[in-house]
Amino acid sequence: MSIEVYRDAWGVPHLRAADPEELAFAQGRVTARDRAWQLEVERHRAQGTTAAFLGAAELGWDAFARRSRLADTARRCFDRLAETDATTASWVRAYVDGVNDGLSEGAGRAPEFASTGLAPGRWEPWTPLAVWLSTHILFAGFPTKLWRDEVARRLGEEWTELFATDGPGTAGSNGWVVAGGRTASGAALVAGDPHRFIEAPGVYQQIRLACPAYDVVGLAVPGVPGLAHFGHTGPVAWAITNAMADYQDLYRERLRRRPDGTVEALGPDGWAPAAAHRETVEVAGGEPVVTEVIETARGPVIIGGPPGDGSAEWEGIALRYPPRVTGELGFGALPALLRARTVADVDAALDDWVEPVNVVQAADTRGGLLHRVAGHVPVRHRANSLRVVPAWDPAHSWADAPAPLPRAEVHGHAVMANARGLAAPLGVEFAPPHRAARIDELLAASTTWTPETTATIHRDTANPSATALLTAVRRVGGYLEAGEGAPAATEAAVDGAAGSAEAVRATGTGATGTPAMTGGAGAIGVTGATGRVGGVPSPGSRSGADGGGPAVPLSPAGSAVRARLLDWDRRMDAESVGAGLYAAVRGAVVRRLARHEAFAALREPAPHPALFQPWLALGPRVAFALETLLVAGPVPAGDVDRIVREALDEVGAGEPPAAWGATHRLAPWQALPDPDDGQWPGLGGDHDCVLSTSSVPGWTDRSARASAARYVWDLGDRERSRWIVPFGASGVPGDPHHRDQLPLWLRGELAPVTTDWQKLEKEQGMTVPVHVQTVEGFGTVTVRPVDPDADAHLLHRWVNEERARFWGMVGTTVEQVREIYAHLDSLTTHHGYLVSRDGEPVALFQTYDPAADRVSECYEALPGDIGVHLFVAPGLAPEPGFTGRLLTALVDFSLTDHTRIVIEPDAANEKALARMTRAGFELGPEVVLPEVDLPEVFIPEKRARLAFLSR
């Protein structure tokens, strides 16, 4: 059957096909049509070739992608998949075929290709795995180990964990499952929102995938088949958050170059050969850069190269990560998730998942609930999780088997928000408890949850992490008396949140942790009374000021700021002037703390590539560790009070801060930044709010991280489910669905999930390739049936060229071309095919049963004969041997189900006859083909030379 494409009111594609492979092809093709630019950017990122069209700014990433062997690892993983799970490998290939089939059309709709001069390229079967790897390679936050090394070296070993909090490269996620006993319908709800760097187009694609085997709605990662993270099959739904596990290691390597140019590395057994080669990174507008790629027995060397002084020995840092070691990514889980009908099916599908390591929640219509960790975490020395470790020490080797994965029972509800809890044995640093505790508190308040009321949790802007700074603000104004400043209800809410955190711990859902979806670092719980950091006594911990004593003097303006802050409701609403005031004071405190002499040794940039500097910069580290630094660390308590007092005075002396949303504006990442930066709206929320919209306090209020999607899966009625993404279903500027969801996303509202086919609008059909063949030295040739609706404009342009007069359609309109090929499509004896090379249409190929054609009047047609006509597209750049190599694939296709090909080129066309002879055709007699005179087509009488090619 032809694939059917439907769209809902938001332009979300709903795809229907005959089987899973057709459906995978359709998913790839519709993604290429809707998001060609995004797909090609991701492919180039995975291959380390973005600088070739985006310029020198991308050199850092490209060098890392090359040195970490992302593309090579993807190839290795796909080869392993093909060996162990041929069905899944074929399914991935079908997706790639769809991408290649749709890229040319999609690129024609996307203006970014023209503005950069980029031509759509070719996807390989391993490309989706490479996209997955490049998207998640920084998830486990290995650069944080570099930071700890710098702190230990510059500040002292005792301060290594002082900044243990989620760093500037991280993002977190919320997720929760509510059992049927606590919902209005009696059926479970699965809900949440992944927090990631916001990209335009968005990192999640709403889509529906339906075939006789399954019918699933969910959020796909563009460039990857299936629905890895969030999906609803009808009987079961699932969702994930980052587990914050530590599963990547950094090794300090000692390297040397031999006289013959080869490289060796010092390992546990002495010096051993290391693989080494050079790669050239092309740079738009600049000179190419040569990068040496070195890999030791531990892994690829990502930091450090031979010194410029010609020394034969040097040090580097190698990255060891599970897919590079095992050749596994866990892609077998993707089709298995689509087929899932129960939580047991989801559970089994994820048993072989590898990377990233996630916390998974699921619920089904039978009442089943699931809360577990999925992924591959190596077993090794504890030091591996904390710092860069010596490659030559055998104590830091990985065990053969990975760590066991925790799971927990769900009683009423469960929360996953990157906090310490279920995944605690697998990680080092996690998110603060604030989001997990707040969600737990809100869920406990009702037993009649619905999809509509669940959305109120997504919008919650309470900011419990403000407590530490507000305590310091109270203190610097005078005596620290119980209840001063904040309303009683707010104080109770803070105490309640702490109590809820204990409840969350009891159910295994977390208490302290860190968000990270594109990087990592970790977070801590802070208790000022004990001065404990991440559960470990912190050196030099302090309890702050005494409970009594003279009031600390503030300027009148500073005192006014203090009073307003202590009356603030602690909600980070976009329109809140109080939230804007809090952010201004917080920023001033952070800047002053970062300038304190105690941290002077950390101000110099770390000697590592610029790509890792977001994890290594002092300012953001201070910003995200503020709760800790206000109560513990090397800055004396008296200096902290002085800093807070000066910050209050600074804000009081300046212009009154505006409402929070005036400065806390969205700042999405775009491969080609939009010059109109003023278009991006203001946001509510903050880093530790449930409505998590992260900035870098003290440096910018702009938010680059927020909810990349929000969803509520209803197990009672899938039609009542809800979802939203920041922008829209289309990645094409100017498309009606490019940013039509942004207003709802800003208001915290959700769009309906429409699953009734009768309520959807049918788009053009989508035809499936009937033949795909790679011709060496030429490319991949794809043959698919002509789609009269989709292809009419293209074919009209071709057949109206003067050189196409022999085709008999010069002068036809687009509608006439559509009608001709619609009629041809209805016949069983004649067929039209569009032929593409590497995704670009290059020819029109028609086949016919000679017994039902005018040629039968000129020779005796035999059973198994097939007649063919080939029309090569006009306007192609001259290429020697093009037609001959194209014919290689078309001949193979034609003889798949037939025994002899019949052609009838013009008898006077000596060039064509010679080409056919070279291709193996045997020339037959000259004949006269009678004219064809139809309303839309006139084909004159023709003197032809028959030729035959037998199988």
Side-chain angles (χ1 to χ4, degrees):
M1 78 183 248
S2 290
I3 292 163
E4 296 177 317
V5 181
Y6 291 77
R7 301 273 181 174
D8 66 13
W10 300 96
V12 173
H14 293 243
L15 310 178
R16 191 156 61 179
D19 58 52
E21 284 200 13
E22 274 195 1
L23 193 55
F25 174 88
Q27 184 183 4
R29 190 176 192 277
V30 82
T31 303
R33 183 181 182 277
D34 289 354
R35 296 166 177 255
W37 171 249
Q38 181 182 21
L39 288 187
E40 283 295 83
V41 169
E42 292 303 322
R43 180 177 68 83
H44 282 281
R45 281 180 60 80
Q47 295 177 179
T49 52
T50 53
F53 65 100
L54 293 179
E58 301 303 317
L59 262 175
W61 172 265
D62 283 357
F64 169 70
R66 305 289 187 101
R67 299 183 76 178
S68 60
R69 311 303 309 279
L70 294 183
D72 186 71
T73 302
R75 292 187 194 96
R76 181 182 295 182
C77 290
F78 184 82
D79 289 345
R80 179 70 177 271
L81 184 68
E83 293 173 3
T84 60
D85 187 352
T87 300
T88 297
S90 181
W91 177 76
V92 174
R93 284 192 190 96
Y95 179 88
V96 169
D97 289 342
V99 170
N100 284 327
D101 192 65
L103 264 182
S104 180
E105 179 188 356
R109 302 176 66 224
E112 296 93 340
F113 285 90
S115 63
T116 59
L118 181 68
R122 172 171 175 74
W123 281 50
E124 300 294 338
W126 50 264
T127 303
L129 286 75
V131 168
W132 188 262
L133 276 170
S134 68
T135 301
H136 298 102
I137 189 65
L138 295 175
F139 260 43
F142 68 79
T144 298
K145 298 176 184 183
L146 301 174
W147 168 253
R148 294 195 199 105
D149 259 13
E150 292 300 312
V151 172
R153 183 170 63 86
R154 303 183 190 196
L155 206 60
E157 290 280 349
E158 68 273 22
W159 300 112
T160 301
E161 296 184 62
L162 174 65
F163 297 90
T165 185
D166 51 337
T170 71
S173 300
N174 300 321
W176 58 94
V177 59
V178 183
R182 301 188 65 83
T183 69
S185 69
L189 296 172
V190 178
D193 57 319
H195 308 149
R196 301 182 61 148
F197 279 104
I198 298 300
E199 299 181 16
V203 297
Y204 283 114
Q205 171 195 30
Q206 299 152 301
I207 200 166
R208 182 184 186 182
L209 306 173
C211 66
Y214 46 76
D215 182 342
V216 194
V217 297
L219 300 167
V221 175
V224 179
L227 301 166
H229 285 165
F230 310 97
H232 193 332
T233 72
V236 66
W238 68 90
I240 63 95
T241 62
N242 191 313
M244 307 310 300
D246 180 81
Y247 50 88
Q248 300 168 332
D249 286 347
L250 295 178
Y251 289 84
R252 192 172 308 283
E253 298 278 0
R254 291 178 180 167
L255 303 160
R256 69 184 183 188
R257 195 178 303 278
R258 303 288 294 166
D260 62 1
T262 60
V263 175
E264 291 183 331
L266 182 63
D269 299 320
W271 290 97
H277 69 277
R278 287 178 169 81
E279 297 185 11
T280 300
V281 182
E282 300 294 335
V283 182
E287 294 297 317
V289 175
V290 176
T291 296
E292 185 168 29
V293 178
I294 299 173
E295 184 166 10
T296 73
R298 272 66 57 196
V301 176
I302 61 168
I303 296 174
D309 61 6
S311 301
E313 295 192 13
W314 72 95
E315 283 195 351
I317 295 177
L319 171 66
R320 187 172 180 84
Y321 57 107
R324 188 67 188 165
V325 175
T326 66
E328 298 276 4
L329 255 184
F331 263 43
L334 302 183
L337 284 171
L338 298 177
R339 297 191 299 268
R341 293 293 177 268
T342 66
V343 295
D345 295 336
V346 172
D347 198 9
L350 293 171
D351 278 344
D352 295 323
W353 186 246
V354 176
E355 184 175 319
V357 180
N358 294 322
V359 176
V360 183
Q361 291 180 340
D364 63 31
T365 54
R366 302 178 185 180
L369 299 168
L370 178 68
H371 189 198
R372 63 162 291 186
V373 176
H376 182 113
V377 180
V379 175
R380 72 276 203 219
H381 196 286
R382 177 65 173 171
N384 289 41
S385 296
L386 298 173
R387 303 271 293 278
V388 181
V389 294
W392 50 91
D393 187 342
H396 300 293
S397 299
W398 287 10
D400 292 335
L405 300 173
R407 59 179 62 232
E409 296 291 327
V410 178
H411 302 289
H413 68 264
V415 179
M416 51 181 185
N418 318 112
R420 190 182 302 274
L422 184 65
L426 306 176
V428 176
E429 300 182 4
F430 295 82
H434 306 304
R435 287 184 288 110
R438 179 61 176 166
I439 294 169
D440 181 78
E441 177 186 23
L442 294 170
L443 288 174
S446 174
T447 58
T448 58
W449 288 102
T450 67
E452 293 76 18
T453 58
T454 297
T456 63
I457 298 178
H458 287 132
R459 297 192 290 268
D460 189 78
T461 59
N463 187 6
S465 68
T467 299
L469 179 55
L470 293 180
T471 299
V473 167
R474 285 199 302 272
R475 186 173 64 241
V476 302
Y479 299 105
L480 182 58
E481 298 177 356
E484 180 185 355
T490 304
E491 297 296 333
V494 172
D495 293 337
S500 298
E502 295 304 320
V504 176
R505 288 189 191 94
T507 58
T509 56
T512 50
T514 195
M517 285 290 265
T518 54
I524 53 167
V526 177
T527 55
T530 62
R532 293 173 67 86
V533 181
V536 179
S538 179
S541 59
R542 43 186 161 71
S543 60
D546 294 333
V552 178
L554 280 169
S555 69
S559 294
V561 169
R562 175 181 180 275
R564 290 171 59 197
L565 271 184
L566 297 180
D567 283 336
W568 171 51
D569 63 5
R570 307 190 190 192
R571 290 189 171 275
M572 303 297 289
D573 296 324
E575 64 276 9
S576 170
V577 175
L581 185 68
Y582 165 77
V585 172
R586 177 179 61 180
V589 169
V590 167
R591 289 190 296 273
R592 281 172 166 74
L593 274 174
R595 290 198 298 265
H596 193 278
E597 61 183 11
F599 299 129
L602 293 173
R603 292 193 195 116
E604 288 299 317
H608 296 307
L611 179 69
F612 304 126
Q613 291 308 313
W615 286 267
L616 303 172
L618 174 63
R621 283 289 177 181
V622 170
F624 289 110
L626 181 61
E627 284 184 274
T628 304
L629 298 177
L630 289 171
V631 296
V635 179
D639 284 1
V640 170
D641 289 349
R642 173 181 55 78
I643 285 170
V644 173
R645 184 175 63 253
E646 290 174 352
L648 291 169
D649 285 342
E650 174 191 330
V651 173
E655 290 292 323
W660 177 223
T663 57
H664 189 55
R665 293 169 48 232
L666 185 63
W669 181 87
Q670 298 171 283
L672 289 180
D674 194 318
D676 182 15
D677 182 67
Q679 68 180 296
W680 302 115
L683 305 175
D686 198 27
H687 193 75
D688 291 317
C689 298
V690 177
L691 182 62
S692 184
T693 54
S694 299
S695 56
V696 184
W699 271 260
T700 179
D701 289 341
R702 296 294 295 273
S703 177
R705 290 173 291 151
S707 298
R710 301 185 188 112
Y711 60 91
V712 181
W713 302 141
D714 190 337
L715 273 299
D717 180 359
R718 189 168 68 166
E719 191 87 6
R720 293 190 62 200
S721 298
R722 299 288 185 269
W723 57 7
I724 200 73
V725 293
F727 300 113
S730 173
V732 179
D735 186 282
H737 302 297
H738 185 221
R739 292 184 184 165
D740 58 335
Q741 296 186 49
L742 180 58
L744 270 70
W745 182 83
L746 288 171
R747 296 195 299 268
E749 299 176 11
L750 303 176
V753 174
T754 303
T755 57
D756 184 345
W757 295 100
Q758 302 303 313
K759 297 178 181 178
L760 303 172
E761 182 177 345
K762 187 173 182 180
E763 205 178 60
Q764 64 188 39
M766 183 186 295
T767 54
V768 182
V770 292
H771 186 75
V772 178
Q773 181 176 339
T774 299
V775 179
E776 187 175 354
F778 183 67
T780 297
V781 177
T782 303
V783 183
R784 67 166 176 84
V786 168
D787 183 326
D789 294 322
D791 300 329
H793 284 273
L794 174 68
L795 298 183
H796 172 261
R797 189 170 71 249
W798 286 2
V799 301
N800 275 278
E801 293 272 342
E802 181 58 33
R803 63 179 287 265
R805 186 165 295 279
F806 75 97
W807 206 254
M809 295 174 64
V810 172
T812 55
T813 66
V814 172
E815 181 57 26
Q816 286 173 328
V817 170
R818 190 199 66 77
E819 290 175 355
I820 289 168
Y821 282 96
H823 173 69
L824 195 69
D825 190 46
S826 70
L827 302 177
T828 59
T829 56
H830 292 65
H831 305 284
Y833 301 96
L834 191 67
V835 183
S836 298
R837 178 176 71 162
D838 293 339
E840 180 184 1
V842 294
L844 178 60
F845 188 59
Q846 293 181 190
T847 66
Y848 59 90
D849 180 353
D853 190 83
R854 64 176 179 165
V855 74
S856 64
E857 300 180 23
C858 304
Y859 93 108
E860 182 180 355
L862 300 178
D865 281 358
I866 180 173
V868 302
H869 295 131
L870 174 63
F871 175 67
V872 177
L876 297 177
E879 182 179 333
F882 177 91
T883 304
R885 285 183 285 184
L886 185 66
L887 278 172
T888 299
L890 297 179
V891 166
D892 288 349
F893 164 59
S894 301
L895 291 178
T896 301
D897 298 314
H898 296 83
T899 57
R900 186 170 69 159
I901 299 173
V902 180
I903 61 173
E904 18 90 352
D906 192 295
N909 191 340
E910 295 181 0
K911 186 176 180 180
L913 292 172
R915 183 185 300 118
M916 295 304 145
T917 301
R918 289 195 300 271
F921 283 82
E922 294 183 6
L923 297 180
E926 285 193 13
V927 297
V928 177
L929 302 178
E931 72 177 31
V932 175
D933 190 1
L934 299 174
E936 295 86 4
V937 179
F938 173 74
I939 304 177
E941 179 183 272
K942 171 184 174 182
R943 178 170 294 279
R945 182 77 178 267
L946 298 182
F948 303 90
L949 178 64
S950 298
R951 185 191 300 173

